[in-house]
Amino acid sequence: MANSTVQFDLTNPQHVAMRKLMTDIYSRHTEAFTAGVNDTMKRYQGMAQGLEKVALHVLADHVLHTLCFELSCALYAQQECLQEVAA
């Protein structure tokens, strides 16, 4: 996977707040992944997708939208990995 060239603007309070939310979602998703709790993983992936929509439609911030999209993709890849291991 290619590294993103998009970065948080840490002088922007919206970016700082979104970064905290994204970190929380990622860490909780990872905890659910480690515990093998698939429903909880899906819930956190849904939250990440919600952040994507907020970034795009409410904040109209394409940088945040891209970062939230990348988070959603990472969470989806983790879920796919767990499903492959379980199969």
Side-chain angles (χ1 to χ4, degrees), residues 5-71:
T5 58
V6 179
Q7 296 181 5
F8 286 101
D9 175 2
L10 298 179
T11 63
N12 182 333
Q14 289 179 336
H15 282 220
V16 173
M18 188 70 83
R19 182 178 179 190
K20 289 178 183 176
L21 289 171
M22 292 172 69
T23 300
D24 186 51
I25 289 171
Y26 183 82
S27 64
R28 291 175 187 255
H29 183 274
T30 301
E31 289 171 8
F33 174 79
T34 301
V37 185
N38 202 25
D39 288 342
T40 303
M41 289 171 52
K42 288 181 183 178
R43 190 173 306 125
Y44 286 112
Q45 184 180 9
M47 288 179 188
Q49 291 170 345
L51 290 182
E52 278 184 72
K53 292 177 182 179
V54 168
L56 183 61
H57 300 294
V58 177
L59 301 175
D61 188 323
H62 295 287
V63 170
L64 279 179
H65 176 255
T66 300
L67 293 166
C68 291
F69 173 75
E70 290 178 5
L71 172 64

